[in-house]
Amino acid sequence: MLEVKKLTVHYGVIQATKEVSFQVKEGEIVSLIGANGAGKSTILKAISGLHRATSGDILYQGKPIQKESTKKIVELGISQVPEGRHVFGGMTVLENLEMGAFLRKDKAEIQKDFKMVFERFPILEERKKQDTATLSGGEQQMVAMGRALMSRPKLLLLDEPSMGLAPIFIKEIFAIIKMINAQGTTVLLIEQNAKVALEIAQQGYVLETGRVVKSGTGKELLASDDVQKAYLGG
Ligand code: ATP
C-alpha cells in the first residue's frame, strides 16, 4: 500500500533522514521505533506532504505522492494524527471532529461516521459539547484519532500516540488502534515506546540517527538482544 524508498529529508543543512526504506502492506500495523531525534516525525511529515523530501520516493498504491499537496494526500486516503495531539482548543469535541471531515461533502455518510467515532470512543459522546482544551491528555488523544477517522482514511499515520499518557490510557489507546486496524484501516505508527508499538505491529523498523538499522516482525524485534538493550531496558 505504501512504499518508502531511499527517503532523504533535510531541514536546511540538517539531514534528518538518510535513505530510509520501508513498506506498509494493506491491512497491517507497521511500527517505526527510535529515540528522540531519530527522524520518525520527519518521515510522517514527508508522507503527508507537510515537508518535502530531498530525494527518494514515496509510493502510495503504486503511485508517487512525494510532490502532491497535503490536501490531495488526504483525499487519496492518508490521514495523520500529529504528535502532541494538536487538537483545537477553544472548540468543542464535536467541532474538532467536524474539522476532520472538512474535505467531504457526503452529509449522510458524515453523520454515520460521527456515530462510528462515538461507538469507538464513548467518552467523546459524553463530552461532545465540552471545550477540547479542558479534556485530559488521553481524551485529547481520542479526539485527535477521532478527527483523523472522520476523513475515512485507508492509511492512518499515528505520531507517538502514547506520549504523555498514563499506562492505563496507553493500554486503552492501543486497544483502540488494534480495533481500528481490525475493522480495515492500515496503520503506520511511530513511537518511542518500543514495547507497546512492537506488540501490536506485524512489521517493525528501528531508526537511529535518520537511518533504518534493523527490521523484522514485531515479535522478532521484541525478542532481539539489540532492541532489548537499547529500547526495552533489558
Ligand atoms: P522525537 O521523538 O523527539 O520527535 P523524531 O524521531 O520524531 O524525534 P524528528 O523530529 O524527525 O525526530 O527529527 C529528526 C532530526 O531533524 C532531529 O535531529 C531534529 O533536530 C531535526 N529537525 C526536526 N525538525 C526540524 C526543523 N524544523 N528544523 C531543523 N531541524 C529539525
Side-chain angles (χ1 to χ4, degrees):
M1 183 176 220
L2 183 78
E3 202 175 351
V4 172
K5 288 193 199 164
K6 295 196 163 189
L7 182 72
T8 298
V9 182
H10 285 83
Y11 296 99
V13 295
I14 296 169
Q15 187 175 54
T17 70
K18 187 166 166 52
E19 300 199 345
V20 167
S21 299
F22 65 92
Q23 286 186 33
V24 182
K25 298 206 182 95
E26 188 158 2
E28 279 184 340
I29 298 178
V30 173
S31 294
L32 307 184
I33 62 161
N36 275 321
K40 304 180 301 296
S41 302
T42 300
I43 293 169
L44 288 199
K45 282 182 199 148
I47 296 169
S48 52
L50 295 167
H51 193 82
R52 292 283 170 227
T54 313
S55 59
D57 289 303
I58 303 171
L59 303 176
Y60 174 66
Q61 295 178 326
K63 296 196 184 87
I65 57 164
Q66 68 267 21
K67 294 203 170 79
E68 299 290 0
S69 66
T70 297
K71 178 168 180 268
K72 175 76 182 175
I73 290 167
V74 174
E75 280 169 356
L76 289 171
I78 301 180
S79 196
Q80 181 172 351
V81 182
E83 184 177 18
R85 269 68 77 186
H86 291 282
V87 289
F88 303 113
M91 285 168 68
T92 65
V93 168
L94 206 57
E95 287 163 345
N96 266 274
L97 295 178
E98 278 166 2
M99 295 296 287
F102 79 106
L103 287 175
R104 296 175 54 187
K105 294 181 184 73
D106 46 341
K107 288 222 167 80
E109 292 295 306
I110 292 172
Q111 287 311 315
K112 269 195 211 160
D113 286 352
F114 275 121
K115 238 183 109 198
M116 169 273 291
V117 168
F118 289 143
E119 274 163 20
R120 285 175 180 170
F121 305 101
I123 187 82
L124 296 187
E125 182 155 35
E126 284 172 36
R127 304 293 165 94
K128 67 184 174 192
K129 300 230 167 89
Q130 189 170 325
D131 181 346
T132 306
T134 64
L135 298 176
S136 75
E139 289 161 357
Q140 290 188 8
Q141 178 67 51
M142 292 178 197
V143 172
M145 285 170 61
R147 188 180 60 190
L149 290 173
M150 289 301 293
S151 71
R152 282 214 181 165
K154 298 189 186 96
L155 174 63
L156 192 62
L157 310 177
L158 293 166
D159 193 343
E160 309 233 13
S162 81
M163 196 162 73
L165 299 186
I168 181 163
F169 273 126
I170 296 178
K171 235 178 143 184
E172 194 174 340
I173 292 287
F174 274 74
I176 292 168
I177 295 169
K178 243 179 144 165
M179 181 174 81
I180 290 168
N181 173 254
Q183 291 170 348
T185 308
T186 306
V187 175
L188 173 61
L189 173 70
I190 67 168
E191 260 297 340
Q192 281 191 50
N193 187 332
K195 185 165 186 288
V196 287
L198 293 175
E199 272 171 0
I200 67 163
Q202 276 87 38
Q203 283 294 319
Y205 295 82
V206 181
L207 277 171
E208 276 171 19
T209 56
R211 297 163 198 256
V212 173
V213 294
K214 208 175 179 66
S215 66
T217 65
K219 272 204 185 103
E220 282 165 359
L221 291 178
L222 275 173
S224 119
D225 283 347
D226 300 345
V227 173
Q228 287 271 344
K229 271 195 205 113
Y231 302 98
L232 302 167

